[in-house]
PDB file of all heavy atoms in Angstrom:
ATOM      1  N   GLY K  11      -4.076 -13.327 -21.470  1.00 94.00           N
ATOM      2  CA  GLY K  11      -4.963 -12.274 -21.923  1.00 94.00           C
ATOM      3  C   GLY K  11      -5.198 -11.331 -20.749  1.00 94.00           C
ATOM      4  O   GLY K  11      -5.004 -11.702 -19.586  1.00 94.00           O
ATOM      5  N   TYR K  12      -5.597 -10.116 -21.035  1.00 96.00           N
ATOM      6  CA  TYR K  12      -5.818  -9.109 -19.993  1.00 96.00           C
ATOM      7  C   TYR K  12      -7.230  -8.562 -20.108  1.00 96.00           C
ATOM      8  O   TYR K  12      -7.715  -8.287 -21.207  1.00 96.00           O
ATOM      9  CB  TYR K  12      -4.800  -7.972 -20.133  1.00 96.00           C
ATOM     10  CG  TYR K  12      -3.374  -8.446 -20.001  1.00 96.00           C
ATOM     11  CD1 TYR K  12      -2.623  -8.747 -21.128  1.00 96.00           C
ATOM     12  CD2 TYR K  12      -2.801  -8.611 -18.754  1.00 96.00           C
ATOM     13  CE1 TYR K  12      -1.317  -9.198 -21.004  1.00 96.00           C
ATOM     14  CE2 TYR K  12      -1.496  -9.063 -18.622  1.00 96.00           C
ATOM     15  CZ  TYR K  12      -0.764  -9.347 -19.755  1.00 96.00           C
ATOM     16  OH  TYR K  12       0.516  -9.801 -19.630  1.00 96.00           O
ATOM     17  N   PHE K  13      -7.843  -8.366 -18.953  1.00 95.00           N
ATOM     18  CA  PHE K  13      -9.219  -7.885 -18.883  1.00 95.00           C
ATOM     19  C   PHE K  13      -9.365  -6.920 -17.718  1.00 95.00           C
ATOM     20  O   PHE K  13      -8.535  -6.892 -16.814  1.00 95.00           O
ATOM     21  CB  PHE K  13     -10.190  -9.056 -18.684  1.00 95.00           C
ATOM     22  CG  PHE K  13     -10.110 -10.079 -19.766  1.00 95.00           C
ATOM     23  CD1 PHE K  13      -9.240 -11.149 -19.671  1.00 95.00           C
ATOM     24  CD2 PHE K  13     -10.875  -9.944 -20.914  1.00 95.00           C
ATOM     25  CE1 PHE K  13      -9.130 -12.084 -20.685  1.00 95.00           C
ATOM     26  CE2 PHE K  13     -10.781 -10.877 -21.935  1.00 95.00           C
ATOM     27  CZ  PHE K  13      -9.907 -11.947 -21.822  1.00 95.00           C
ATOM     28  N   MET K  14     -10.440  -6.163 -17.751  1.00 94.00           N
ATOM     29  CA  MET K  14     -10.832  -5.349 -16.608  1.00 94.00           C
ATOM     30  C   MET K  14     -12.213  -5.817 -16.204  1.00 94.00           C
ATOM     31  O   MET K  14     -13.140  -5.823 -17.016  1.00 94.00           O
ATOM     32  CB  MET K  14     -10.858  -3.872 -16.958  1.00 94.00           C
ATOM     33  CG  MET K  14     -11.138  -2.990 -15.769  1.00 94.00           C
ATOM     34  SD  MET K  14     -10.704  -1.291 -16.157  1.00 94.00           S
ATOM     35  CE  MET K  14     -11.964  -0.437 -15.254  1.00 94.00           C
ATOM     36  N   ALA K  15     -12.328  -6.258 -14.954  1.00 94.00           N
ATOM     37  CA  ALA K  15     -13.614  -6.689 -14.402  1.00 94.00           C
ATOM     38  C   ALA K  15     -14.098  -5.594 -13.465  1.00 94.00           C
ATOM     39  O   ALA K  15     -13.408  -5.234 -12.513  1.00 94.00           O
ATOM     40  CB  ALA K  15     -13.458  -8.011 -13.658  1.00 94.00           C
ATOM     41  N   VAL K  16     -15.274  -5.074 -13.761  1.00 93.00           N
ATOM     42  CA  VAL K  16     -15.849  -3.961 -13.004  1.00 93.00           C
ATOM     43  C   VAL K  16     -16.960  -4.508 -12.109  1.00 93.00           C
ATOM     44  O   VAL K  16     -17.850  -5.214 -12.582  1.00 93.00           O
ATOM     45  CB  VAL K  16     -16.393  -2.883 -13.965  1.00 93.00           C
ATOM     46  CG1 VAL K  16     -17.006  -1.728 -13.193  1.00 93.00           C
ATOM     47  CG2 VAL K  16     -15.291  -2.402 -14.906  1.00 93.00           C
ATOM     48  N   PHE K  17     -16.905  -4.171 -10.830  1.00 93.00           N
ATOM     49  CA  PHE K  17     -17.853  -4.653  -9.824  1.00 93.00           C
ATOM     50  C   PHE K  17     -18.646  -3.502  -9.234  1.00 93.00           C
ATOM     51  O   PHE K  17     -18.074  -2.590  -8.649  1.00 93.00           O
ATOM     52  CB  PHE K  17     -17.115  -5.327  -8.664  1.00 93.00           C
ATOM     53  CG  PHE K  17     -16.463  -6.628  -9.006  1.00 93.00           C
ATOM     54  CD1 PHE K  17     -15.283  -6.674  -9.718  1.00 93.00           C
ATOM     55  CD2 PHE K  17     -17.033  -7.818  -8.587  1.00 93.00           C
ATOM     56  CE1 PHE K  17     -14.675  -7.879 -10.028  1.00 93.00           C
ATOM     57  CE2 PHE K  17     -16.436  -9.033  -8.880  1.00 93.00           C
ATOM     58  CZ  PHE K  17     -15.251  -9.062  -9.613  1.00 93.00           C
ATOM     59  N   GLY K  18     -19.972  -3.574  -9.350  1.00 90.00           N
ATOM     60  CA  GLY K  18     -20.847  -2.620  -8.690  1.00 90.00           C
ATOM     61  C   GLY K  18     -21.133  -3.071  -7.265  1.00 90.00           C
ATOM     62  O   GLY K  18     -20.392  -3.860  -6.685  1.00 90.00           O
ATOM     63  N   THR K  19     -22.223  -2.598  -6.698  1.00 89.00           N
ATOM     64  CA  THR K  19     -22.622  -3.007  -5.353  1.00 89.00           C
ATOM     65  C   THR K  19     -23.000  -4.489  -5.365  1.00 89.00           C
ATOM     66  O   THR K  19     -23.803  -4.899  -6.203  1.00 89.00           O
ATOM     67  CB  THR K  19     -23.822  -2.176  -4.873  1.00 89.00           C
ATOM     68  OG1 THR K  19     -23.450  -0.793  -4.897  1.00 89.00           O
ATOM     69  CG2 THR K  19     -24.239  -2.561  -3.468  1.00 89.00           C
ATOM     70  N   PRO K  20     -22.413  -5.293  -4.480  1.00 89.00           N
ATOM     71  CA  PRO K  20     -22.742  -6.726  -4.456  1.00 89.00           C
ATOM     72  C   PRO K  20     -24.230  -6.954  -4.200  1.00 89.00           C
ATOM     73  O   PRO K  20     -24.821  -6.320  -3.332  1.00 89.00           O
ATOM     74  CB  PRO K  20     -21.911  -7.262  -3.292  1.00 89.00           C
ATOM     75  CG  PRO K  20     -20.835  -6.258  -3.089  1.00 89.00           C
ATOM     76  CD  PRO K  20     -21.426  -4.929  -3.485  1.00 89.00           C
ATOM     77  N   GLU K  21     -24.819  -7.843  -4.998  1.00 87.00           N
ATOM     78  CA  GLU K  21     -26.227  -8.202  -4.865  1.00 87.00           C
ATOM     79  C   GLU K  21     -26.346  -9.721  -4.960  1.00 87.00           C
ATOM     80  O   GLU K  21     -26.617 -10.261  -6.031  1.00 87.00           O
ATOM     81  CB  GLU K  21     -27.051  -7.522  -5.965  1.00 87.00           C
ATOM     82  CG  GLU K  21     -27.035  -6.015  -5.887  1.00 87.00           C
ATOM     83  CD  GLU K  21     -27.714  -5.349  -7.076  1.00 87.00           C
ATOM     84  OE1 GLU K  21     -28.206  -6.038  -7.981  1.00 87.00           O
ATOM     85  OE2 GLU K  21     -27.740  -4.111  -7.086  1.00 87.00           O
ATOM     86  N   PRO K  22     -26.110 -10.423  -3.821  1.00 84.00           N
ATOM     87  CA  PRO K  22     -26.194 -11.884  -3.842  1.00 84.00           C
ATOM     88  C   PRO K  22     -27.572 -12.336  -4.308  1.00 84.00           C
ATOM     89  O   PRO K  22     -28.537 -11.606  -4.135  1.00 84.00           O
ATOM     90  CB  PRO K  22     -25.954 -12.275  -2.385  1.00 84.00           C
ATOM     91  CG  PRO K  22     -25.221 -11.106  -1.800  1.00 84.00           C
ATOM     92  CD  PRO K  22     -25.739  -9.888  -2.536  1.00 84.00           C
ATOM     93  N   PRO K  23     -27.702 -13.482  -4.954  1.00 84.00           N
ATOM     94  CA  PRO K  23     -26.679 -14.525  -5.023  1.00 84.00           C
ATOM     95  C   PRO K  23     -25.793 -14.442  -6.250  1.00 84.00           C
ATOM     96  O   PRO K  23     -24.801 -15.157  -6.320  1.00 84.00           O
ATOM     97  CB  PRO K  23     -27.521 -15.800  -5.096  1.00 84.00           C
ATOM     98  CG  PRO K  23     -28.722 -15.389  -5.890  1.00 84.00           C
ATOM     99  CD  PRO K  23     -29.002 -13.957  -5.454  1.00 84.00           C
ATOM    100  N   ASP K  24     -26.092 -13.584  -7.229  1.00 85.00           N
ATOM    101  CA  ASP K  24     -25.315 -13.583  -8.463  1.00 85.00           C
ATOM    102  C   ASP K  24     -24.153 -12.602  -8.484  1.00 85.00           C
ATOM    103  O   ASP K  24     -23.081 -12.933  -8.953  1.00 85.00           O
ATOM    104  CB  ASP K  24     -26.217 -13.285  -9.670  1.00 85.00           C
ATOM    105  CG  ASP K  24     -27.213 -14.391  -9.943  1.00 85.00           C
ATOM    106  OD1 ASP K  24     -26.923 -15.550  -9.600  1.00 85.00           O
ATOM    107  OD2 ASP K  24     -28.291 -14.098 -10.485  1.00 85.00           O
ATOM    108  N   LYS K  25     -24.369 -11.421  -8.012  1.00 88.00           N
ATOM    109  CA  LYS K  25     -23.345 -10.388  -8.107  1.00 88.00           C
ATOM    110  C   LYS K  25     -22.565 -10.304  -6.802  1.00 88.00           C
ATOM    111  O   LYS K  25     -23.117 -10.022  -5.756  1.00 88.00           O
ATOM    112  CB  LYS K  25     -23.986  -9.059  -8.479  1.00 88.00           C
ATOM    113  CG  LYS K  25     -24.618  -9.129  -9.854  1.00 88.00           C
ATOM    114  CD  LYS K  25     -25.264  -7.840 -10.257  1.00 88.00           C
ATOM    115  CE  LYS K  25     -25.856  -7.973 -11.652  1.00 88.00           C
ATOM    116  NZ  LYS K  25     -26.580  -6.785 -12.043  1.00 88.00           N
ATOM    117  N   ASP K  26     -21.278 -10.569  -6.914  1.00 91.00           N
ATOM    118  CA  ASP K  26     -20.407 -10.683  -5.749  1.00 91.00           C
ATOM    119  C   ASP K  26     -19.492  -9.475  -5.604  1.00 91.00           C
ATOM    120  O   ASP K  26     -19.415  -8.625  -6.476  1.00 91.00           O
ATOM    121  CB  ASP K  26     -19.550 -11.947  -5.886  1.00 91.00           C
ATOM    122  CG  ASP K  26     -20.389 -13.201  -5.916  1.00 91.00           C
ATOM    123  OD1 ASP K  26     -21.058 -13.474  -4.914  1.00 91.00           O
ATOM    124  OD2 ASP K  26     -20.372 -13.900  -6.950  1.00 91.00           O
ATOM    125  N   SER K  27     -18.750  -9.459  -4.503  1.00 90.00           N
ATOM    126  CA  SER K  27     -17.752  -8.430  -4.271  1.00 90.00           C
ATOM    127  C   SER K  27     -16.430  -8.858  -4.908  1.00 90.00           C
ATOM    128  O   SER K  27     -16.233 -10.024  -5.256  1.00 90.00           O
ATOM    129  CB  SER K  27     -17.567  -8.197  -2.766  1.00 90.00           C
ATOM    130  OG  SER K  27     -17.135  -9.386  -2.150  1.00 90.00           O
ATOM    131  N   VAL K  28     -15.521  -7.924  -5.050  1.00 91.00           N
ATOM    132  CA  VAL K  28     -14.229  -8.168  -5.685  1.00 91.00           C
ATOM    133  C   VAL K  28     -13.478  -9.317  -5.026  1.00 91.00           C
ATOM    134  O   VAL K  28     -12.873 -10.143  -5.700  1.00 91.00           O
ATOM    135  CB  VAL K  28     -13.381  -6.874  -5.666  1.00 91.00           C
ATOM    136  CG1 VAL K  28     -11.957  -7.149  -6.074  1.00 91.00           C
ATOM    137  CG2 VAL K  28     -13.989  -5.821  -6.558  1.00 91.00           C
ATOM    138  N   ASP K  29     -13.519  -9.396  -3.710  1.00 91.00           N
ATOM    139  CA  ASP K  29     -12.724 -10.400  -2.992  1.00 91.00           C
ATOM    140  C   ASP K  29     -13.354 -11.797  -2.973  1.00 91.00           C
ATOM    141  O   ASP K  29     -12.790 -12.729  -2.411  1.00 91.00           O
ATOM    142  CB  ASP K  29     -12.433  -9.943  -1.568  1.00 91.00           C
ATOM    143  CG  ASP K  29     -13.685  -9.722  -0.744  1.00 91.00           C
ATOM    144  OD1 ASP K  29     -14.801  -9.764  -1.299  1.00 91.00           O
ATOM    145  OD2 ASP K  29     -13.542  -9.484   0.466  1.00 91.00           O
ATOM    146  N   SER K  30     -14.485 -11.977  -3.635  1.00 93.00           N
ATOM    147  CA  SER K  30     -15.203 -13.254  -3.618  1.00 93.00           C
ATOM    148  C   SER K  30     -14.540 -14.352  -4.439  1.00 93.00           C
ATOM    149  O   SER K  30     -14.757 -15.535  -4.210  1.00 93.00           O
ATOM    150  CB  SER K  30     -16.631 -13.070  -4.123  1.00 93.00           C
ATOM    151  OG  SER K  30     -16.612 -12.785  -5.521  1.00 93.00           O
ATOM    152  N   GLY K  31     -13.766 -13.964  -5.451  1.00 94.00           N
ATOM    153  CA  GLY K  31     -13.183 -14.950  -6.354  1.00 94.00           C
ATOM    154  C   GLY K  31     -14.140 -15.400  -7.443  1.00 94.00           C
ATOM    155  O   GLY K  31     -13.899 -16.386  -8.134  1.00 94.00           O
ATOM    156  N   ARG K  32     -15.237 -14.636  -7.623  1.00 94.00           N
ATOM    157  CA  ARG K  32     -16.255 -15.018  -8.608  1.00 94.00           C
ATOM    158  C   ARG K  32     -16.816 -13.766  -9.281  1.00 94.00           C
ATOM    159  O   ARG K  32     -17.174 -12.809  -8.616  1.00 94.00           O
ATOM    160  CB  ARG K  32     -17.366 -15.767  -7.870  1.00 94.00           C
ATOM    161  CG  ARG K  32     -18.437 -16.323  -8.750  1.00 94.00           C
ATOM    162  CD  ARG K  32     -19.389 -17.167  -7.945  1.00 94.00           C
ATOM    163  NE  ARG K  32     -20.481 -16.338  -7.431  1.00 94.00           N
ATOM    164  CZ  ARG K  32     -21.685 -16.803  -7.148  1.00 94.00           C
ATOM    165  NH1 ARG K  32     -21.944 -18.093  -7.249  1.00 94.00           N
ATOM    166  NH2 ARG K  32     -22.616 -15.999  -6.702  1.00 94.00           N
ATOM    167  N   PHE K  33     -16.868 -13.805 -10.627  1.00 93.00           N
ATOM    168  CA  PHE K  33     -17.422 -12.691 -11.389  1.00 93.00           C
ATOM    169  C   PHE K  33     -18.594 -13.203 -12.208  1.00 93.00           C
ATOM    170  O   PHE K  33     -18.464 -14.145 -12.989  1.00 93.00           O
ATOM    171  CB  PHE K  33     -16.367 -12.083 -12.324  1.00 93.00           C
ATOM    172  CG  PHE K  33     -16.866 -10.884 -13.083  1.00 93.00           C
ATOM    173  CD1 PHE K  33     -16.903  -9.641 -12.480  1.00 93.00           C
ATOM    174  CD2 PHE K  33     -17.314 -11.002 -14.386  1.00 93.00           C
ATOM    175  CE1 PHE K  33     -17.374  -8.529 -13.166  1.00 93.00           C
ATOM    176  CE2 PHE K  33     -17.790  -9.904 -15.086  1.00 93.00           C
ATOM    177  CZ  PHE K  33     -17.824  -8.661 -14.469  1.00 93.00           C
ATOM    178  N   PHE K  34     -19.742 -12.572 -12.046  1.00 90.00           N
ATOM    179  CA  PHE K  34     -20.971 -12.934 -12.735  1.00 90.00           C
ATOM    180  C   PHE K  34     -20.911 -12.498 -14.189  1.00 90.00           C
ATOM    181  O   PHE K  34     -20.635 -11.343 -14.495  1.00 90.00           O
ATOM    182  CB  PHE K  34     -22.154 -12.266 -12.022  1.00 90.00           C
ATOM    183  CG  PHE K  34     -23.491 -12.532 -12.638  1.00 90.00           C
ATOM    184  CD1 PHE K  34     -24.002 -13.807 -12.713  1.00 90.00           C
ATOM    185  CD2 PHE K  34     -24.259 -11.484 -13.135  1.00 90.00           C
ATOM    186  CE1 PHE K  34     -25.251 -14.051 -13.276  1.00 90.00           C
ATOM    187  CE2 PHE K  34     -25.508 -11.705 -13.691  1.00 90.00           C
ATOM    188  CZ  PHE K  34     -26.001 -12.995 -13.762  1.00 90.00           C
ATOM    189  N   LEU K  35     -21.170 -13.434 -15.110  1.00 86.00           N
ATOM    190  CA  LEU K  35     -21.098 -13.133 -16.537  1.00 86.00           C
ATOM    191  C   LEU K  35     -22.402 -12.617 -17.117  1.00 86.00           C
ATOM    192  O   LEU K  35     -22.415 -12.052 -18.208  1.00 86.00           O
ATOM    193  CB  LEU K  35     -20.653 -14.369 -17.322  1.00 86.00           C
ATOM    194  CG  LEU K  35     -19.220 -14.808 -17.047  1.00 86.00           C
ATOM    195  CD1 LEU K  35     -18.939 -16.133 -17.731  1.00 86.00           C
ATOM    196  CD2 LEU K  35     -18.249 -13.742 -17.510  1.00 86.00           C
ATOM    197  N   GLY K  36     -23.505 -12.829 -16.432  1.00 76.00           N
ATOM    198  CA  GLY K  36     -24.785 -12.347 -16.933  1.00 76.00           C
ATOM    199  C   GLY K  36     -25.151 -12.980 -18.252  1.00 76.00           C
ATOM    200  O   GLY K  36     -24.931 -14.164 -18.472  1.00 76.00           O
ATOM    201  N   GLN K  37     -25.653 -12.173 -19.168  1.00 66.00           N
ATOM    202  CA  GLN K  37     -26.130 -12.677 -20.452  1.00 66.00           C
ATOM    203  C   GLN K  37     -25.005 -13.112 -21.383  1.00 66.00           C
ATOM    204  O   GLN K  37     -25.234 -13.861 -22.321  1.00 66.00           O
ATOM    205  CB  GLN K  37     -26.976 -11.610 -21.145  1.00 66.00           C
ATOM    206  CG  GLN K  37     -28.226 -11.274 -20.380  1.00 66.00           C
ATOM    207  CD  GLN K  37     -29.003 -10.153 -21.048  1.00 66.00           C
ATOM    208  OE1 GLN K  37     -28.580  -9.574 -22.039  1.00 66.00           O
ATOM    209  NE2 GLN K  37     -30.159  -9.834 -20.480  1.00 66.00           N
ATOM    210  N   ARG K  38     -23.800 -12.669 -21.139  1.00 64.00           N
ATOM    211  CA  ARG K  38     -22.689 -13.007 -22.030  1.00 64.00           C
ATOM    212  C   ARG K  38     -22.338 -14.491 -21.945  1.00 64.00           C
ATOM    213  O   ARG K  38     -21.984 -15.099 -22.926  1.00 64.00           O
ATOM    214  CB  ARG K  38     -21.471 -12.163 -21.701  1.00 64.00           C
ATOM    215  CG  ARG K  38     -21.705 -10.697 -21.995  1.00 64.00           C
ATOM    216  CD  ARG K  38     -20.522  -9.869 -21.659  1.00 64.00           C
ATOM    217  NE  ARG K  38     -19.430 -10.145 -22.581  1.00 64.00           N
ATOM    218  CZ  ARG K  38     -18.269  -9.535 -22.527  1.00 64.00           C
ATOM    219  NH1 ARG K  38     -18.036  -8.644 -21.602  1.00 64.00           N
ATOM    220  NH2 ARG K  38     -17.315  -9.829 -23.389  1.00 64.00           N
ATOM    221  N   GLY K  39     -22.380 -15.062 -20.742  1.00 57.00           N
ATOM    222  CA  GLY K  39     -22.185 -16.490 -20.551  1.00 57.00           C
ATOM    223  C   GLY K  39     -20.834 -17.025 -20.969  1.00 57.00           C
ATOM    224  O   GLY K  39     -19.838 -16.312 -21.009  1.00 57.00           O
ATOM    225  N   ALA K  40     -20.801 -18.331 -21.288  1.00 58.00           N
ATOM    226  CA  ALA K  40     -19.558 -19.053 -21.519  1.00 58.00           C
ATOM    227  C   ALA K  40     -18.797 -18.595 -22.762  1.00 58.00           C
ATOM    228  O   ALA K  40     -17.613 -18.884 -22.894  1.00 58.00           O
ATOM    229  CB  ALA K  40     -19.837 -20.551 -21.621  1.00 58.00           C
ATOM    230  N   ASP K  41     -19.445 -17.880 -23.680  1.00 66.00           N
ATOM    231  CA  ASP K  41     -18.724 -17.404 -24.862  1.00 66.00           C
ATOM    232  C   ASP K  41     -17.872 -16.171 -24.557  1.00 66.00           C
ATOM    233  O   ASP K  41     -17.165 -15.663 -25.407  1.00 66.00           O
ATOM    234  CB  ASP K  41     -19.689 -17.113 -26.014  1.00 66.00           C
ATOM    235  CG  ASP K  41     -20.668 -15.997 -25.698  1.00 66.00           C
ATOM    236  OD1 ASP K  41     -20.907 -15.723 -24.511  1.00 66.00           O
ATOM    237  OD2 ASP K  41     -21.209 -15.407 -26.652  1.00 66.00           O
ATOM    238  N   THR K  42     -17.903 -15.700 -23.319  1.00 78.00           N
ATOM    239  CA  THR K  42     -17.092 -14.572 -22.894  1.00 78.00           C
ATOM    240  C   THR K  42     -15.618 -14.945 -22.979  1.00 78.00           C
ATOM    241  O   THR K  42     -15.233 -16.038 -22.592  1.00 78.00           O
ATOM    242  CB  THR K  42     -17.427 -14.192 -21.437  1.00 78.00           C
ATOM    243  OG1 THR K  42     -18.818 -13.916 -21.353  1.00 78.00           O
ATOM    244  CG2 THR K  42     -16.648 -12.981 -20.974  1.00 78.00           C
ATOM    245  N   PRO K  43     -14.772 -14.048 -23.485  1.00 79.00           N
ATOM    246  CA  PRO K  43     -13.340 -14.355 -23.533  1.00 79.00           C
ATOM    247  C   PRO K  43     -12.775 -14.541 -22.129  1.00 79.00           C
ATOM    248  O   PRO K  43     -13.359 -14.102 -21.147  1.00 79.00           O
ATOM    249  CB  PRO K  43     -12.723 -13.129 -24.197  1.00 79.00           C
ATOM    250  CG  PRO K  43     -13.808 -12.194 -24.504  1.00 79.00           C
ATOM    251  CD  PRO K  43     -15.093 -12.741 -23.997  1.00 79.00           C
ATOM    252  N   GLY K  44     -11.643 -15.163 -22.069  1.00 86.00           N
ATOM    253  CA  GLY K  44     -10.966 -15.392 -20.791  1.00 86.00           C
ATOM    254  C   GLY K  44     -10.737 -16.869 -20.574  1.00 86.00           C
ATOM    255  O   GLY K  44     -11.662 -17.665 -20.671  1.00 86.00           O
ATOM    256  N   GLU K  45      -9.481 -17.212 -20.331  1.00 91.00           N
ATOM    257  CA  GLU K  45      -9.097 -18.601 -20.117  1.00 91.00           C
ATOM    258  C   GLU K  45      -8.239 -18.701 -18.868  1.00 91.00           C
ATOM    259  O   GLU K  45      -7.746 -17.702 -18.356  1.00 91.00           O
ATOM    260  CB  GLU K  45      -8.312 -19.123 -21.331  1.00 91.00           C
ATOM    261  CG  GLU K  45      -9.070 -19.048 -22.644  1.00 91.00           C
ATOM    262  CD  GLU K  45     -10.346 -19.875 -22.658  1.00 91.00           C
ATOM    263  OE1 GLU K  45     -10.384 -20.931 -21.979  1.00 91.00           O
ATOM    264  OE2 GLU K  45     -11.313 -19.464 -23.324  1.00 91.00           O
ATOM    265  N   ARG K  46      -8.028 -19.916 -18.412  1.00 94.00           N
ATOM    266  CA  ARG K  46      -7.194 -20.171 -17.240  1.00 94.00           C
ATOM    267  C   ARG K  46      -5.839 -19.466 -17.405  1.00 94.00           C
ATOM    268  O   ARG K  46      -5.206 -19.550 -18.438  1.00 94.00           O
ATOM    269  CB  ARG K  46      -6.992 -21.667 -17.072  1.00 94.00           C
ATOM    270  CG  ARG K  46      -6.209 -22.028 -15.835  1.00 94.00           C
ATOM    271  CD  ARG K  46      -6.143 -23.545 -15.664  1.00 94.00           C
ATOM    272  NE  ARG K  46      -5.418 -23.899 -14.469  1.00 94.00           N
ATOM    273  CZ  ARG K  46      -5.934 -23.956 -13.249  1.00 94.00           C
ATOM    274  NH1 ARG K  46      -7.214 -23.699 -13.068  1.00 94.00           N
ATOM    275  NH2 ARG K  46      -5.199 -24.266 -12.206  1.00 94.00           N
ATOM    276  N   GLY K  47      -5.447 -18.730 -16.385  1.00 95.00           N
ATOM    277  CA  GLY K  47      -4.173 -18.017 -16.396  1.00 95.00           C
ATOM    278  C   GLY K  47      -4.250 -16.589 -16.888  1.00 95.00           C
ATOM    279  O   GLY K  47      -3.298 -15.827 -16.716  1.00 95.00           O
ATOM    280  N   ASP K  48      -5.373 -16.200 -17.495  1.00 96.00           N
ATOM    281  CA  ASP K  48      -5.527 -14.804 -17.907  1.00 96.00           C
ATOM    282  C   ASP K  48      -5.683 -13.929 -16.670  1.00 96.00           C
ATOM    283  O   ASP K  48      -6.056 -14.407 -15.580  1.00 96.00           O
ATOM    284  CB  ASP K  48      -6.741 -14.639 -18.820  1.00 96.00           C
ATOM    285  CG  ASP K  48      -6.516 -15.207 -20.213  1.00 96.00           C
ATOM    286  OD1 ASP K  48      -5.359 -15.543 -20.554  1.00 96.00           O
ATOM    287  OD2 ASP K  48      -7.509 -15.321 -20.960  1.00 96.00           O
ATOM    288  N   LEU K  49      -5.406 -12.644 -16.821  1.00 96.00           N
ATOM    289  CA  LEU K  49      -5.405 -11.706 -15.698  1.00 96.00           C
ATOM    290  C   LEU K  49      -6.492 -10.651 -15.849  1.00 96.00           C
ATOM    291  O   LEU K  49      -6.678 -10.095 -16.934  1.00 96.00           O
ATOM    292  CB  LEU K  49      -4.046 -11.019 -15.602  1.00 96.00           C
ATOM    293  CG  LEU K  49      -2.848 -11.957 -15.431  1.00 96.00           C
ATOM    294  CD1 LEU K  49      -1.541 -11.186 -15.532  1.00 96.00           C
ATOM    295  CD2 LEU K  49      -2.930 -12.698 -14.107  1.00 96.00           C
ATOM    296  N   MET K  50      -7.171 -10.398 -14.744  1.00 97.00           N
ATOM    297  CA  MET K  50      -8.212  -9.367 -14.711  1.00 97.00           C
ATOM    298  C   MET K  50      -7.816  -8.293 -13.696  1.00 97.00           C
ATOM    299  O   MET K  50      -7.477  -8.618 -12.555  1.00 97.00           O
ATOM    300  CB  MET K  50      -9.551  -9.965 -14.284  1.00 97.00           C
ATOM    301  CG  MET K  50     -10.071 -11.048 -15.175  1.00 97.00           C
ATOM    302  SD  MET K  50     -11.750 -11.609 -14.748  1.00 97.00           S
ATOM    303  CE  MET K  50     -11.575 -12.089 -13.029  1.00 97.00           C
ATOM    304  N   LEU K  51      -7.869  -7.054 -14.110  1.00 97.00           N
ATOM    305  CA  LEU K  51      -7.724  -5.936 -13.186  1.00 97.00           C
ATOM    306  C   LEU K  51      -9.093  -5.748 -12.553  1.00 97.00           C
ATOM    307  O   LEU K  51     -10.095  -5.585 -13.259  1.00 97.00           O
ATOM    308  CB  LEU K  51      -7.282  -4.687 -13.948  1.00 97.00           C
ATOM    309  CG  LEU K  51      -6.885  -3.475 -13.132  1.00 97.00           C
ATOM    310  CD1 LEU K  51      -5.670  -3.782 -12.253  1.00 97.00           C
ATOM    311  CD2 LEU K  51      -6.562  -2.307 -14.054  1.00 97.00           C
ATOM    312  N   LEU K  52      -9.191  -5.826 -11.236  1.00 96.00           N
ATOM    313  CA  LEU K  52     -10.468  -5.808 -10.517  1.00 96.00           C
ATOM    314  C   LEU K  52     -10.757  -4.392 -10.022  1.00 96.00           C
ATOM    315  O   LEU K  52     -10.004  -3.836  -9.224  1.00 96.00           O
ATOM    316  CB  LEU K  52     -10.428  -6.792  -9.357  1.00 96.00           C
ATOM    317  CG  LEU K  52      -9.999  -8.217  -9.743  1.00 96.00           C
ATOM    318  CD1 LEU K  52      -9.845  -9.084  -8.498  1.00 96.00           C
ATOM    319  CD2 LEU K  52     -10.982  -8.826 -10.716  1.00 96.00           C
ATOM    320  N   VAL K  53     -11.874  -3.823 -10.493  1.00 94.00           N
ATOM    321  CA  VAL K  53     -12.192  -2.413 -10.250  1.00 94.00           C
ATOM    322  C   VAL K  53     -13.592  -2.268  -9.657  1.00 94.00           C
ATOM    323  O   VAL K  53     -14.523  -2.934 -10.091  1.00 94.00           O
ATOM    324  CB  VAL K  53     -12.091  -1.618 -11.579  1.00 94.00           C
ATOM    325  CG1 VAL K  53     -12.511  -0.176 -11.391  1.00 94.00           C
ATOM    326  CG2 VAL K  53     -10.685  -1.693 -12.135  1.00 94.00           C
ATOM    327  N   HIS K  54     -13.728  -1.379  -8.683  1.00 91.00           N
ATOM    328  CA  HIS K  54     -15.029  -1.069  -8.070  1.00 91.00           C
ATOM    329  C   HIS K  54     -15.740   0.013  -8.882  1.00 91.00           C
ATOM    330  O   HIS K  54     -15.120   1.007  -9.241  1.00 91.00           O
ATOM    331  CB  HIS K  54     -14.841  -0.516  -6.652  1.00 91.00           C
ATOM    332  CG  HIS K  54     -14.419  -1.530  -5.657  1.00 91.00           C
ATOM    333  ND1 HIS K  54     -15.315  -2.317  -4.988  1.00 91.00           N
ATOM    334  CD2 HIS K  54     -13.205  -1.892  -5.228  1.00 91.00           C
ATOM    335  CE1 HIS K  54     -14.660  -3.118  -4.172  1.00 91.00           C
ATOM    336  NE2 HIS K  54     -13.372  -2.878  -4.309  1.00 91.00           N
TER     337      HIS K  54
END
C-alpha cells in the first residue's frame, strides 16, 4: 500500500521528525490503514 506521511515541527514526546522512524497516529489510532511492508512518502 502507498501513503503520504506529513510531518510538521517536531514536538516531543509524541510528534517526531521524519528521520525518527516513528509517526504519531493521534486520534486515528490502530484502525489507521498501513501494514508491514507498505510504503510512505515522508514529507515536511
Side-chain angles (χ1 to χ4, degrees):
Y12 300 95
F13 302 90
M14 185 164 145
V16 179
F17 291 76
T19 302
E21 297 173 0
D24 293 333
K25 296 180 179 176
D26 298 297
S27 60
V28 169
D29 61 352
S30 69
R32 185 174 90 153
F33 183 81
F34 179 62
L35 293 173
Q37 296 177 356
R38 294 179 69 179
D41 63 338
T42 303
E45 301 299 328
R46 184 175 181 84
D48 287 349
L49 302 172
M50 300 186 304
L51 189 62
L52 308 174
V53 176
H54 288 274

